[in-house]
Amino acid sequence: MTGIEVVVSDFGGVLTSPLLPTFTAVQEQDGLEPGALGAAVRHVAEHDGVHPLYELECGRMTERDFWRRLEAQVREDVGRDVALGSFSERYFAHLRRNEPMIAFLRELRDGGWRLALLTNNVREWEPRWRAMLPVDELFEVVVDSAFVGVRKPDPAIYRLTCDRLGVGPERCLFVDDVQANCAAAAALGMTAIVFRDTGQAIAEIRAALDVGQLSQPRRSQR
């Protein structure tokens, strides 16, 4: 039996279909090369001295202002107007729930583990992503970067998650599809698993928790 009490999950790319193909599909609808928006974001960051995506995900920039700035940069980069105002709607239309991963988290919860969600997200997107998941059923703590003003991989957001859970980082297992986010969690003392695909992640989580199939409820360590 391990000392892990809480499983902390990312949202996009872990509890949903992969993010990169989703971004690529929406960019293709606009006739853009796959890396066009990423390049525009980098160019804005270089010009403005602040990273627009980080500002958006920390709640310091509105979604509307973000897309207006990106539209201007894309116009400069590709030489034509591209309307990005509907990007978010089309992005979520492509995104799918990762049903096996959601079912596995429910299995963990029913087996006695506590669950938390830690996401870098956009304030205006909250109704959309919450509608995709049984958030209140599964997670006792939700930490959304856009509402707390700090984002992964800043250590402060992991500490905040632990504080809200009332546990130390050594009691947490963290799963995310971004290596840097996992490295930051591990540096703080969490057990961290990089999500590459659903089967791999579930197998590694089971191994870290020292459980096979959860046929019997586990008594909480709390």
Side-chain angles (χ1 to χ4, degrees), residues 151-210:
R151 66 189 294 280
K152 298 174 289 187
D154 190 320
I157 200 166
Y158 303 95
R159 295 192 189 99
L160 175 62
T161 303
C162 290
D163 288 346
R164 291 187 176 181
L165 286 161
V167 299
E170 72 281 356
R171 292 288 189 179
C172 297
L173 182 151
F174 175 71
V175 57
D176 196 291
D177 62 327
V178 177
Q179 174 68 50
N181 294 344
C182 288
L188 201 65
M190 293 181 173
T191 298
I193 291 174
V194 179
F195 181 100
R196 296 186 293 276
D197 63 65
T198 302
Q200 160 266 327
I202 290 176
E204 290 191 26
I205 293 170
R206 288 193 187 279
L209 298 179
D210 193 24

Side-chain angles (χ1 to χ4, degrees), residues 1-61:
M1 186 71 68
T2 71
I4 295 171
E5 179 180 339
V6 186
V7 175
V8 182
S9 178
D10 178 36
F11 168 67
V14 174
L15 302 182
T16 73
S17 49
L19 299 186
L20 184 57
T22 303
F23 276 108
T24 299
V26 179
Q27 287 179 95
E28 287 176 350
Q29 290 179 343
D30 292 325
L32 294 171
E33 293 296 321
L37 285 184
V41 168
R42 292 193 300 272
H43 295 157
V44 170
E46 292 166 2
H47 181 271
D48 294 353
V50 292
H51 198 292
L53 181 60
Y54 299 171
E55 294 298 290
L56 178 67
E57 290 184 337
C58 286
R60 294 188 292 265
M61 176 182 282

Side-chain angles (χ1 to χ4, degrees), residues 67-158:
W67 290 123
R68 282 181 171 178
R69 186 67 184 88
L70 262 291
E71 283 177 345
Q73 188 61 54
V74 168
R75 184 186 309 117
E76 182 177 331
D77 289 350
V78 305
R80 64 181 177 88
D81 289 330
V82 178
L84 297 174
S86 67
F87 187 97
S88 301
E89 180 179 350
R90 291 180 289 136
Y91 171 77
F92 274 92
H94 280 84
L95 210 57
R96 297 290 179 266
R97 287 164 46 121
N98 184 346
E99 297 290 358
M101 194 68 186
I102 294 168
F104 176 62
L105 289 184
R106 185 177 284 109
E107 181 184 2
L108 290 178
R109 181 210 58 190
D110 292 345
W113 274 270
R114 302 168 64 196
L115 302 180
L117 186 69
L118 175 54
T119 176
N120 286 350
N121 226 306
V122 177
R123 182 182 294 265
E124 292 88 344
W125 289 7
E126 187 187 32
R128 295 182 186 274
W129 68 258
R130 277 184 171 267
M132 293 182 66
L133 297 174
V135 176
D136 295 329
E137 173 195 347
L138 287 178
F139 303 105
E140 63 176 270
V141 166
V142 175
V143 178
D144 182 334
S145 64
F147 290 89
V148 300
V150 63
R151 66 189 294 280
K152 298 174 289 187
D154 190 320
I157 200 166
Y158 303 95

